[in-house]
Amino acid sequence: MQGTTVRRVGLVLAVTTLTGVTACTSQDSSDGPGRDDRAARGRALAALRSAERATDSARSARVESTTTMGSLMSMTADGTLGWSKGITGTLTIRYTGGTVADTMRRLGTTSMEARYLPEAYYARLGEKFAEQTGGKRWIRYAYEDLDALAGGSGAHLGDQMRSTTPNQSVKLLLSSGDVRKVGEETVRGRTATHWSGTVAAADVTDAALRKQLAEAGVTTETVDIWVDRRNLLVKKVEKARTTTGRLTQTAHYADYGAPVRAERPPASDTGDFEDLVRKQSGAP
């Protein structure tokens, strides 16, 4: 019984942790910055729109991130993501703490390779997990299958994975009523402009992002981004208090335009998420 439970939890953990790699996050409070005048706000929004366009046009980047979600988990992720035709790329995810890391240890690994393709992503969970799933080392998660996960509660997971590009933080900040320029700073040796703001979930114009925040129980958030002289995002810090606890995520972006590789694993070594869940639950 315990083995069945661990396998079932592992299937779902691979979903929920992957969506936290670069998804939007938020914070329960802020320092309450002073009001900018209309002209200053106009200049700020113009600069952010330039950053959004430049980052979106770059089509790919190297990503390094750290994420903490209360006592649930802490994790790191690094790899290259592309977004010219849907989300694509490969990330290595390492679980460093929390109950998720404990569960993954029982599955025989605390790291996982994730390959993102436009219609699905694939997670490699290791040899021990394969022993419990008919020898399949990879699990395929079709985005359309996630829409039906847990009676519909998984619908936003697919949305998050299709919205994990660097310009998503810029889009969030564009919805802030108090966006402001903090100043010029150095990020890993690169000169960058630091922008900050507080975002109310109800004011987010992007429907997918607004939905993600609502389903996470977020009402307000703070977003900090650093933009270099080419208008490219080089760092972000987002913080939140969600239904799973305090969430903090820091990400660095570099090597914009880098080649992106995401090959589908061999079909003979891949199990389908929906089929595996059905088998684990004993459903017909």
Side-chain angles (χ1 to χ4, degrees), residues 2-22:
Q2 183 180 10
T4 299
T5 301
V6 170
R7 288 194 299 272
R8 192 176 302 162
V9 171
L11 290 171
V12 177
L13 285 180
V15 178
T16 57
T17 57
L18 280 169
T19 62
V21 171
T22 49

Side-chain angles (χ1 to χ4, degrees), residues 111-244:
S111 66
M112 177 171 64
E113 180 180 343
R115 297 181 185 178
Y116 295 79
L117 288 102
E119 80 290 347
Y121 77 87
Y122 298 77
R124 191 181 194 281
L125 294 179
E127 299 297 331
K128 186 173 181 179
F129 189 81
E131 293 174 1
Q132 305 176 62
T133 55
K136 307 293 186 180
R137 296 174 178 82
W138 290 87
I139 301 176
R140 176 183 183 271
Y141 297 89
Y143 298 129
E144 61 183 17
D145 291 341
L146 294 179
D147 293 345
L149 177 63
S153 65
H156 72 292
L157 300 178
D159 290 338
Q160 286 185 7
M161 281 180 285
R162 284 169 291 199
S163 303
T164 54
T165 57
N167 65 340
Q168 295 305 304
S169 295
V170 184
K171 288 182 179 180
L172 282 171
L173 202 50
L174 282 168
S175 300
S176 172
D178 68 348
V179 61
R180 64 197 184 280
K181 179 179 177 179
V182 179
E184 300 296 319
E185 300 175 11
T186 301
V187 179
R188 294 188 172 182
R190 299 168 67 182
T191 301
T193 303
H194 180 183
W195 299 92
S196 182
T198 303
V199 180
D203 294 336
V204 176
T205 56
D206 186 285
L209 293 177
R210 187 170 61 249
K211 181 180 180 182
Q212 291 171 28
L213 294 172
E215 292 182 341
V218 173
T219 55
T220 61
E221 61 179 323
T222 59
V223 180
D224 287 81
I225 66 171
W226 288 256
V227 179
D228 70 9
R229 293 175 178 173
R230 298 182 298 163
N231 291 320
L232 295 173
L233 191 68
V234 295
K235 179 183 177 181
K236 75 164 185 177
V237 176
E238 303 181 15
K239 300 179 181 179
R241 187 169 297 280
T242 72
T243 54
T244 58

